[in-house]
Amino acid sequence: MPVATPPLEDGTVITEHDRIVWVGPRVHAPAGGRDEVLGEHRIITPGLVNAHTHLELTTMRGFLEDLPFFEWVRTLTRARAEVLEDSDLRDAALLGVAEGLRAGITTFGDTGASAAPFDALRALGARGVAYREVFGPDPAQAAAALAGLQSQVSAMRRHATPLVRVGVSPHAPYSVSNALFSAVAAWAAQESLPMAVHVAESEAEDALVQRGEGPFADFLRGRGIAVARRAPGSVPLMRATGMARADTLLIHCVRASAEDIRAIANAGCGVAHCPASNAKLGHGVAPLAEFVAAGARVGLGSDSMASNNEMDMLAEARTALLQQRARTALPAAAGFSARSAFRLATLGGAEALRLDEEVGSLEAGKQADLVVFAIEPTSAPAPDPLAALIFAPRGTRVERVIIAGEERVRDGRVAGFDPAVADRVHAAAGRLHQWRSAELAR
Ligand SMILES: [Zn+2]
């Protein structure tokens, strides 16, 4: 399944060190080298791309169910600060990467408030961009917040590798002032750092940005921060503060107008569409078909385990496809076939993260990031392997995952992953639930 070109039956992929050197039908494959036959009912695909996640929050799976968005964000933020230690964040990030790898994800776009995701990606040999988060809704604290971010990022950059890069993420309009957006955008441009930002996600965010009202406005005023109408919408706010650059990843974009979509496509920004998270938190369905039609660089994100609660890009692609068909009432709206949904989970994600010259498809010259799926012929709708992957993912199983030519997963086992990490994450999740019960009893 090369993605950039049509599927090949009896295909062969030839790799050399960390690169793909040849892709084509087996009958034409050049001889020589070690040859491995995978056998029947196997699909070789490029590594899947999760364009947006929060690996350090894997502990929070199922922690905050069914809360309104403002309360969800506030409780999550307080719990992270009051309950989780640095070691908990490290364990959560490792478990998150392992879960993603087992599901065939080789490239992660992570936004994190700590260096834990960056360290976990490197430790398990995964690829990705670790966007370091910065928060600061009070404009008076913008300079201090930027200085803090600069020192954290320079420490991370000393350990960046060809596989794991560093970016920055001013979190969202409700947690970052205009002054901080502008300051980070200017510094990131100067340093050639990619950026990511949560944007146009919720009604509560719109109320704050467009009218200076709603739960976020009340909360900020309660902390003595002046709140006024900031922009006609979050996308115009990103443009006004210099955030809407070609190497910026805009996360969510649920509440994007036709004008916003044009502006995002023209600016060349990436978009991380998170269909399960947006639906689960009750934010609605993003205009994905319109983004794709406008030529925007769109990929799929799982978002954090606090709002999904699993990391599976095939499930995400299926949800995205079904939502758009349901929303538009067209059987193949804007080309939403299984093939285009699978493209979003691979090459689209690579484009959104600006890594598409390296990964996202099986092409000579690209990195050898490969997944081997085994198909159960009785539970998957053969003979169309793409329909199997997208519409019957339970009939498929990740058999092997290779990143930059190195095998990272075989038959569910992640190389270098200590199973004790999962036990510690389970224990930390227990402490979170205790904290929450005590809060509710108060
Ligand atoms: Zn997020």
Side-chain angles (χ1 to χ4, degrees), residues 397-420:
R397 174 173 54 81
V398 171
E399 197 169 65
R400 281 161 78 170
V401 177
I402 292 159
I403 302 175
E406 300 279 345
E407 185 172 276
R408 297 299 176 189
V409 180
R410 184 180 281 239
D411 296 325
R413 225 190 63 79
V414 178
F417 180 70
D418 175 3

Side-chain angles (χ1 to χ4, degrees), residues 360-374:
S361 57
L362 302 179
E363 290 179 79
K366 282 202 176 180
Q367 286 280 295
D369 287 14
L370 317 173
V371 181
V372 178
F373 287 94

Side-chain angles (χ1 to χ4, degrees), residues 236-305:
L237 179 65
M238 292 302 105
R239 298 174 70 195
T241 52
M243 286 291 301
R245 289 208 325 246
D247 54 358
T248 301
L249 179 72
L250 301 176
I251 303 156
H252 299 306
C253 297
V254 179
R255 304 170 73 84
S257 67
E259 199 181 319
D260 292 339
I261 293 167
R262 264 197 309 277
I264 289 168
N266 289 343
C269 301
V271 174
H273 173 51
C274 304
S277 172
N278 295 155
K280 187 159 188 281
L281 289 171
H283 295 322
V285 179
L288 173 64
E290 289 84 339
F291 272 113
V292 172
R297 307 163 72 94
V298 191
L300 299 175
S302 65
D303 210 345
S304 80
M305 293 308 100

Side-chain angles (χ1 to χ4, degrees), residues 22-206:
W22 192 89
V23 179
R26 186 160 187 82
V27 286
H28 298 142
R34 188 169 67 86
D35 187 15
E36 201 173 340
V37 179
L38 295 175
E40 282 198 314
H41 309 301
R42 298 291 186 281
I43 313 175
I44 308 177
T45 75
L48 306 181
V49 179
N50 186 354
H52 177 58
T53 184
H54 300 256
L55 293 163
E56 68 193 4
L57 302 183
T58 306
T59 324
M60 293 193 175
R61 197 192 316 268
F63 172 49
L64 300 168
E65 297 297 340
D66 307 325
L67 290 180
F69 184 57
F70 172 78
E71 219 178 303
W72 180 88
V73 171
R74 278 301 302 153
T75 315
L76 188 157
T77 307
R78 288 186 47 223
R80 181 169 58 193
E82 293 178 26
V83 184
L84 299 180
E85 310 283 338
D86 288 351
S87 59
D88 295 323
L89 300 177
R90 280 198 294 274
D91 287 337
L94 284 167
L95 185 67
V97 174
E99 176 175 345
L101 287 171
R102 275 190 211 106
I105 297 165
T106 54
T107 298
F108 299 74
D110 184 89
T111 57
S114 75
F118 175 71
D119 294 338
L121 289 168
R122 287 184 303 130
L124 294 177
R127 188 185 300 279
V129 184
Y131 300 96
R132 185 67 181 253
E133 285 183 324
V134 60
F135 302 82
D138 184 351
Q141 290 164 1
L146 175 65
L149 178 71
Q150 287 170 330
S151 81
Q152 290 161 349
V153 166
S154 69
M156 284 165 73
R157 281 177 114 179
R158 284 196 284 276
H159 302 286
T161 66
L163 263 70
V164 187
R165 299 169 196 193
V166 180
V168 292
S169 177
H171 176 256
Y174 53 81
S175 55
V176 173
S177 65
N178 291 7
L180 184 54
F181 274 132
S182 298
V184 173
W187 177 63
Q190 194 184 314
E191 294 286 321
S192 301
L193 283 163
M195 295 192 289
V197 57
H198 295 79
V199 82
E201 181 181 10
S202 66
E203 205 284 320
E205 176 190 329
D206 272 1

Side-chain angles (χ1 to χ4, degrees), residues 321-322 324-338 340 391:
L321 188 160
L322 295 179
Q324 294 304 310
R325 283 194 185 170
R327 185 178 75 91
T328 59
L330 294 169
F336 272 99
S337 56
S340 54
F391 291 117

